[in-house]
Amino acid sequence: MRLGTLLAILLLIGCPTPSKAQDILEVGYTGTDSVNVKDDRNLYFIELLSQALARSGKPYKTVMRVRGATHARQMQMVVDGLIDVLWDAPGPEVDKRLMPIEIPIDKGLIGWRIFFINADEQPLFANITTAEELKKIPLGQVKYWHDTSILKANKFNLVETPSYSGTFKMLMSKRFNYFPRSIAEIWDEETNQKSMLTNVVIEKHLVLQYPIAYFFYVNPRNAALAKDIQQGLESMLGDGSFDRLFQEYNGQFIAKADLKNRRVIRIENPYMPEETHRKFEHFWFNPETQNTGTPPTTSP
């Protein structure tokens, strides 16, 4: 069979694509939805995927296929077989079209959100104590992100933005007062987006929390890859390497967020099935019961 015919068949059935040498199974993913700036938001997920696949004993290699695609485009690329893996949060569209590997790979950390604000507006947030008070203050969020639907459902004063980088520009123009970001993202963004953050700082007192988590998703026809990712993650959970990697990439950010000294504003996520939340109840990040970013102390 000709190589071109073989590649076409593999694309149609949703298998990882072999490299030209035919001895490497390339697993394609998309980069972040930003362009032309350094963006470290995906580094943890890429490393976790690579380590999970390494447990399979197969010659997998993770490869970024494209960067700058919208969420809808990323999902369609998995459906079309142009990429193999997407990390995403549960929602009606993704759950209908793709198959999840049912382990919350970020432990729900994406649902702990602190805010970028303009420096002169810190007093606006100083006395906020309830969700109802926070809802009155205009916030910005990219229109195609999952969080936008969650915030809409909770009746926040929401300004939808066209793009990730555009949101920072609109914040600086005071089109709205805050931009909520995960504690796993905001510190790197403070560094990577520095050129766009004139007079923008991180709010000091609040954290917005709602149940949401990232899962790996694959094409439903790609059962072999799903099995290898699932078994790899379970193996990592079993030997502690999952938690060590989570700590390596996120521990310092959790510590910097200083959650014990922030007021937690909790809201519901109508798009996270209650069954899913209960199933992984022991797994969700909780600063009161799980690691808070400080490495465990070992005896000499």
Side-chain angles (χ1 to χ4, degrees), residues 4-17 77-84 219-222:
T5 304
L6 175 60
L7 291 174
I9 292 172
L10 288 170
L11 184 62
L12 286 172
I13 64 175
C15 290
T17 306
M77 291 177 74
V78 180
V79 172
D80 293 341
L82 300 176
I83 61 172
D84 303 292
N219 190 303
R221 296 171 295 187
N222 207 345

PDB file of all heavy atoms in Angstrom, residues 4-17 77-84 219-222:
ATOM      1  N   GLY A   4       0.885   7.438   0.904  1.00  0.00           N
ATOM      2  CA  GLY A   4      -0.194   8.424   0.877  1.00  0.00           C
ATOM      3  C   GLY A   4      -1.535   7.818   1.193  1.00  0.00           C
ATOM      4  O   GLY A   4      -2.358   8.391   1.916  1.00  0.00           O
ATOM      5  N   THR A   5      -1.767   6.597   0.678  1.00  0.00           N
ATOM      6  CA  THR A   5      -3.036   5.911   0.968  1.00  0.00           C
ATOM      7  C   THR A   5      -3.120   5.536   2.436  1.00  0.00           C
ATOM      8  O   THR A   5      -4.152   5.681   3.086  1.00  0.00           O
ATOM      9  CB  THR A   5      -3.145   4.642   0.103  1.00  0.00           C
ATOM     10  OG1 THR A   5      -3.021   5.002  -1.270  1.00  0.00           O
ATOM     11  CG2 THR A   5      -4.487   3.944   0.323  1.00  0.00           C
ATOM     12  N   LEU A   6      -1.996   5.052   2.995  1.00  0.00           N
ATOM     13  CA  LEU A   6      -1.970   4.694   4.413  1.00  0.00           C
ATOM     14  C   LEU A   6      -2.254   5.896   5.303  1.00  0.00           C
ATOM     15  O   LEU A   6      -3.038   5.809   6.253  1.00  0.00           O
ATOM     16  CB  LEU A   6      -0.602   4.111   4.761  1.00  0.00           C
ATOM     17  CG  LEU A   6      -0.357   3.777   6.251  1.00  0.00           C
ATOM     18  CD1 LEU A   6      -1.373   2.748   6.723  1.00  0.00           C
ATOM     19  CD2 LEU A   6       1.057   3.273   6.449  1.00  0.00           C
ATOM     20  N   LEU A   7      -1.640   7.043   5.003  1.00  0.00           N
ATOM     21  CA  LEU A   7      -1.868   8.246   5.802  1.00  0.00           C
ATOM     22  C   LEU A   7      -3.317   8.679   5.730  1.00  0.00           C
ATOM     23  O   LEU A   7      -3.909   9.116   6.722  1.00  0.00           O
ATOM     24  CB  LEU A   7      -0.954   9.369   5.324  1.00  0.00           C
ATOM     25  CG  LEU A   7       0.539   9.179   5.612  1.00  0.00           C
ATOM     26  CD1 LEU A   7       1.345  10.296   4.958  1.00  0.00           C
ATOM     27  CD2 LEU A   7       0.797   9.141   7.091  1.00  0.00           C
ATOM     28  N   ALA A   8      -3.913   8.572   4.537  1.00  0.00           N
ATOM     29  CA  ALA A   8      -5.323   8.967   4.376  1.00  0.00           C
ATOM     30  C   ALA A   8      -6.224   8.084   5.212  1.00  0.00           C
ATOM     31  O   ALA A   8      -7.169   8.553   5.858  1.00  0.00           O
ATOM     32  CB  ALA A   8      -5.718   8.888   2.903  1.00  0.00           C
ATOM     33  N   ILE A   9      -5.924   6.763   5.230  1.00  0.00           N
ATOM     34  CA  ILE A   9      -6.746   5.845   6.023  1.00  0.00           C
ATOM     35  C   ILE A   9      -6.597   6.151   7.507  1.00  0.00           C
ATOM     36  O   ILE A   9      -7.580   6.197   8.258  1.00  0.00           O
ATOM     37  CB  ILE A   9      -6.336   4.389   5.737  1.00  0.00           C
ATOM     38  CG1 ILE A   9      -6.723   4.018   4.290  1.00  0.00           C
ATOM     39  CG2 ILE A   9      -6.994   3.428   6.718  1.00  0.00           C
ATOM     40  CD1 ILE A   9      -6.178   2.665   3.845  1.00  0.00           C
ATOM     41  N   LEU A  10      -5.363   6.390   7.954  1.00  0.00           N
ATOM     42  CA  LEU A  10      -5.140   6.712   9.362  1.00  0.00           C
ATOM     43  C   LEU A  10      -5.856   7.983   9.772  1.00  0.00           C
ATOM     44  O   LEU A  10      -6.397   8.078  10.872  1.00  0.00           O
ATOM     45  CB  LEU A  10      -3.639   6.846   9.633  1.00  0.00           C
ATOM     46  CG  LEU A  10      -2.849   5.527   9.623  1.00  0.00           C
ATOM     47  CD1 LEU A  10      -1.356   5.822   9.664  1.00  0.00           C
ATOM     48  CD2 LEU A  10      -3.250   4.642  10.773  1.00  0.00           C
ATOM     49  N   LEU A  11      -5.884   8.980   8.888  1.00  0.00           N
ATOM     50  CA  LEU A  11      -6.568  10.235   9.187  1.00  0.00           C
ATOM     51  C   LEU A  11      -8.051  10.004   9.355  1.00  0.00           C
ATOM     52  O   LEU A  11      -8.691  10.521  10.271  1.00  0.00           O
ATOM     53  CB  LEU A  11      -6.307  11.246   8.070  1.00  0.00           C
ATOM     54  CG  LEU A  11      -6.871  12.646   8.265  1.00  0.00           C
ATOM     55  CD1 LEU A  11      -6.239  13.300   9.493  1.00  0.00           C
ATOM     56  CD2 LEU A  11      -6.634  13.502   7.034  1.00  0.00           C
ATOM     57  N   LEU A  12      -8.611   9.155   8.484  1.00  0.00           N
ATOM     58  CA  LEU A  12     -10.048   8.908   8.531  1.00  0.00           C
ATOM     59  C   LEU A  12     -10.451   8.155   9.791  1.00  0.00           C
ATOM     60  O   LEU A  12     -11.516   8.401  10.356  1.00  0.00           O
ATOM     61  CB  LEU A  12     -10.479   8.106   7.297  1.00  0.00           C
ATOM     62  CG  LEU A  12     -10.524   8.884   5.982  1.00  0.00           C
ATOM     63  CD1 LEU A  12     -10.781   7.937   4.819  1.00  0.00           C
ATOM     64  CD2 LEU A  12     -11.595   9.965   6.031  1.00  0.00           C
ATOM     65  N   ILE A  13      -9.613   7.236  10.261  1.00  0.00           N
ATOM     66  CA  ILE A  13     -10.002   6.451  11.434  1.00  0.00           C
ATOM     67  C   ILE A  13      -9.556   7.102  12.725  1.00  0.00           C
ATOM     68  O   ILE A  13      -9.834   6.606  13.804  1.00  0.00           O
ATOM     69  CB  ILE A  13      -9.444   5.016  11.359  1.00  0.00           C
ATOM     70  CG1 ILE A  13      -7.913   5.019  11.400  1.00  0.00           C
ATOM     71  CG2 ILE A  13      -9.963   4.301  10.125  1.00  0.00           C
ATOM     72  CD1 ILE A  13      -7.314   3.627  11.449  1.00  0.00           C
ATOM     73  N   GLY A  14      -8.879   8.256  12.644  1.00  0.00           N
ATOM     74  CA  GLY A  14      -8.550   9.007  13.849  1.00  0.00           C
ATOM     75  C   GLY A  14      -7.379   8.466  14.631  1.00  0.00           C
ATOM     76  O   GLY A  14      -7.322   8.608  15.840  1.00  0.00           O
ATOM     77  N   CYS A  15      -6.426   7.816  13.981  1.00  0.00           N
ATOM     78  CA  CYS A  15      -5.250   7.308  14.677  1.00  0.00           C
ATOM     79  C   CYS A  15      -4.155   8.353  14.681  1.00  0.00           C
ATOM     80  O   CYS A  15      -4.084   9.185  13.774  1.00  0.00           O
ATOM     81  CB  CYS A  15      -4.719   6.052  13.985  1.00  0.00           C
ATOM     82  SG  CYS A  15      -5.791   4.613  14.171  1.00  0.00           S
ATOM     83  N   PRO A  16      -3.272   8.344  15.668  1.00  0.00           N
ATOM     84  CA  PRO A  16      -2.099   9.199  15.602  1.00  0.00           C
ATOM     85  C   PRO A  16      -1.333   8.929  14.325  1.00  0.00           C
ATOM     86  O   PRO A  16      -1.257   7.793  13.863  1.00  0.00           O
ATOM     87  CB  PRO A  16      -1.292   8.784  16.844  1.00  0.00           C
ATOM     88  CG  PRO A  16      -2.301   8.164  17.758  1.00  0.00           C
ATOM     89  CD  PRO A  16      -3.309   7.509  16.874  1.00  0.00           C
ATOM     90  N   THR A  17      -0.758   9.960  13.735  1.00  0.00           N
ATOM     91  CA  THR A  17      -0.129   9.848  12.436  1.00  0.00           C
ATOM     92  C   THR A  17       1.335   9.454  12.571  1.00  0.00           C
ATOM     93  O   THR A  17       2.092  10.108  13.287  1.00  0.00           O
ATOM     94  CB  THR A  17      -0.206  11.193  11.695  1.00  0.00           C
ATOM     95  OG1 THR A  17      -1.559  11.606  11.668  1.00  0.00           O
ATOM     96  CG2 THR A  17       0.320  11.069  10.277  1.00  0.00           C
ATOM     97  N   MET A  77     -10.808  20.439  14.638  1.00  0.00           N
ATOM     98  CA  MET A  77      -9.588  19.781  14.172  1.00  0.00           C
ATOM     99  C   MET A  77      -9.465  18.363  14.736  1.00  0.00           C
ATOM    100  O   MET A  77      -8.962  17.462  14.059  1.00  0.00           O
ATOM    101  CB  MET A  77      -8.360  20.617  14.541  1.00  0.00           C
ATOM    102  CG  MET A  77      -8.247  21.922  13.762  1.00  0.00           C
ATOM    103  SD  MET A  77      -6.836  22.933  14.280  1.00  0.00           S
ATOM    104  CE  MET A  77      -5.481  22.018  13.544  1.00  0.00           C
ATOM    105  N   VAL A  78      -9.938  18.149  15.976  1.00  0.00           N
ATOM    106  CA  VAL A  78      -9.945  16.798  16.523  1.00  0.00           C
ATOM    107  C   VAL A  78     -10.975  15.944  15.782  1.00  0.00           C
ATOM    108  O   VAL A  78     -10.709  14.791  15.416  1.00  0.00           O
ATOM    109  CB  VAL A  78     -10.248  16.804  18.035  1.00  0.00           C
ATOM    110  CG1 VAL A  78     -10.239  15.369  18.582  1.00  0.00           C
ATOM    111  CG2 VAL A  78      -9.231  17.640  18.789  1.00  0.00           C
ATOM    112  N   VAL A  79     -12.141  16.512  15.542  1.00  0.00           N
ATOM    113  CA  VAL A  79     -13.185  15.794  14.804  1.00  0.00           C
ATOM    114  C   VAL A  79     -12.689  15.390  13.421  1.00  0.00           C
ATOM    115  O   VAL A  79     -12.927  14.265  12.951  1.00  0.00           O
ATOM    116  CB  VAL A  79     -14.462  16.665  14.680  1.00  0.00           C
ATOM    117  CG1 VAL A  79     -15.479  16.009  13.755  1.00  0.00           C
ATOM    118  CG2 VAL A  79     -15.071  16.906  16.057  1.00  0.00           C
ATOM    119  N   ASP A  80     -11.958  16.289  12.760  1.00  0.00           N
ATOM    120  CA  ASP A  80     -11.475  16.039  11.395  1.00  0.00           C
ATOM    121  C   ASP A  80     -10.193  15.212  11.346  1.00  0.00           C
ATOM    122  O   ASP A  80      -9.733  14.865  10.260  1.00  0.00           O
ATOM    123  CB  ASP A  80     -11.223  17.373  10.684  1.00  0.00           C
ATOM    124  CG  ASP A  80     -12.503  18.158  10.436  1.00  0.00           C
ATOM    125  OD1 ASP A  80     -13.588  17.545  10.480  1.00  0.00           O
ATOM    126  OD2 ASP A  80     -12.407  19.384  10.215  1.00  0.00           O
ATOM    127  N   GLY A  81      -9.610  14.915  12.504  1.00  0.00           N
ATOM    128  CA  GLY A  81      -8.388  14.131  12.526  1.00  0.00           C
ATOM    129  C   GLY A  81      -7.129  14.916  12.240  1.00  0.00           C
ATOM    130  O   GLY A  81      -6.071  14.332  12.004  1.00  0.00           O
ATOM    131  N   LEU A  82      -7.210  16.249  12.282  1.00  0.00           N
ATOM    132  CA  LEU A  82      -6.034  17.078  12.023  1.00  0.00           C
ATOM    133  C   LEU A  82      -5.140  17.183  13.251  1.00  0.00           C
ATOM    134  O   LEU A  82      -3.940  17.433  13.142  1.00  0.00           O
ATOM    135  CB  LEU A  82      -6.462  18.465  11.552  1.00  0.00           C
ATOM    136  CG  LEU A  82      -7.295  18.477  10.253  1.00  0.00           C
ATOM    137  CD1 LEU A  82      -7.759  19.877   9.931  1.00  0.00           C
ATOM    138  CD2 LEU A  82      -6.476  17.898   9.103  1.00  0.00           C
ATOM    139  N   ILE A  83      -5.733  17.045  14.417  1.00  0.00           N
ATOM    140  CA  ILE A  83      -4.985  16.878  15.656  1.00  0.00           C
ATOM    141  C   ILE A  83      -5.603  15.706  16.409  1.00  0.00           C
ATOM    142  O   ILE A  83      -6.713  15.258  16.086  1.00  0.00           O
ATOM    143  CB  ILE A  83      -4.966  18.152  16.535  1.00  0.00           C
ATOM    144  CG1 ILE A  83      -6.389  18.550  16.950  1.00  0.00           C
ATOM    145  CG2 ILE A  83      -4.245  19.281  15.845  1.00  0.00           C
ATOM    146  CD1 ILE A  83      -6.432  19.663  17.963  1.00  0.00           C
ATOM    147  N   ASP A  84      -4.897  15.215  17.409  1.00  0.00           N
ATOM    148  CA  ASP A  84      -5.322  13.991  18.081  1.00  0.00           C
ATOM    149  C   ASP A  84      -5.859  14.207  19.488  1.00  0.00           C
ATOM    150  O   ASP A  84      -6.689  13.423  19.953  1.00  0.00           O
ATOM    151  CB  ASP A  84      -4.140  13.018  18.151  1.00  0.00           C
ATOM    152  CG  ASP A  84      -3.582  12.701  16.779  1.00  0.00           C
ATOM    153  OD1 ASP A  84      -4.288  12.047  15.992  1.00  0.00           O
ATOM    154  OD2 ASP A  84      -2.448  13.131  16.482  1.00  0.00           O
ATOM    155  N   ASN A 219     -10.776  12.013  19.535  1.00  0.00           N
ATOM    156  CA  ASN A 219     -11.824  11.594  18.615  1.00  0.00           C
ATOM    157  C   ASN A 219     -12.409  10.268  19.106  1.00  0.00           C
ATOM    158  O   ASN A 219     -11.650   9.362  19.482  1.00  0.00           O
ATOM    159  CB  ASN A 219     -11.221  11.437  17.216  1.00  0.00           C
ATOM    160  CG  ASN A 219     -12.280  11.243  16.142  1.00  0.00           C
ATOM    161  OD1 ASN A 219     -13.091  10.323  16.210  1.00  0.00           O
ATOM    162  ND2 ASN A 219     -12.254  12.109  15.140  1.00  0.00           N
ATOM    163  N   PRO A 220     -13.748  10.118  19.136  1.00  0.00           N
ATOM    164  CA  PRO A 220     -14.344   8.866  19.622  1.00  0.00           C
ATOM    165  C   PRO A 220     -13.861   7.626  18.880  1.00  0.00           C
ATOM    166  O   PRO A 220     -13.919   6.514  19.422  1.00  0.00           O
ATOM    167  CB  PRO A 220     -15.843   9.084  19.404  1.00  0.00           C
ATOM    168  CG  PRO A 220     -16.017  10.564  19.429  1.00  0.00           C
ATOM    169  CD  PRO A 220     -14.765  11.125  18.799  1.00  0.00           C
ATOM    170  N   ARG A 221     -13.376   7.801  17.656  1.00  0.00           N
ATOM    171  CA  ARG A 221     -12.874   6.661  16.884  1.00  0.00           C
ATOM    172  C   ARG A 221     -11.457   6.267  17.297  1.00  0.00           C
ATOM    173  O   ARG A 221     -10.941   5.249  16.826  1.00  0.00           O
ATOM    174  CB  ARG A 221     -12.893   6.991  15.391  1.00  0.00           C
ATOM    175  CG  ARG A 221     -14.295   7.219  14.840  1.00  0.00           C
ATOM    176  CD  ARG A 221     -14.244   7.760  13.421  1.00  0.00           C
ATOM    177  NE  ARG A 221     -13.636   9.088  13.375  1.00  0.00           N
ATOM    178  CZ  ARG A 221     -13.583   9.843  12.274  1.00  0.00           C
ATOM    179  NH1 ARG A 221     -14.081   9.392  11.140  1.00  0.00           N
ATOM    180  NH2 ARG A 221     -13.024  11.040  12.321  1.00  0.00           N
ATOM    181  N   ASN A 222     -10.858   7.062  18.142  1.00  0.00           N
ATOM    182  CA  ASN A 222      -9.450   6.842  18.491  1.00  0.00           C
ATOM    183  C   ASN A 222      -9.326   6.171  19.859  1.00  0.00           C
ATOM    184  O   ASN A 222      -8.665   6.672  20.775  1.00  0.00           O
ATOM    185  CB  ASN A 222      -8.708   8.179  18.482  1.00  0.00           C
ATOM    186  CG  ASN A 222      -7.231   8.019  18.188  1.00  0.00           C
ATOM    187  OD1 ASN A 222      -6.703   6.920  18.264  1.00  0.00           O
ATOM    188  ND2 ASN A 222      -6.578   9.114  17.858  1.00  0.00           N
TER     189      ASN A 222
END
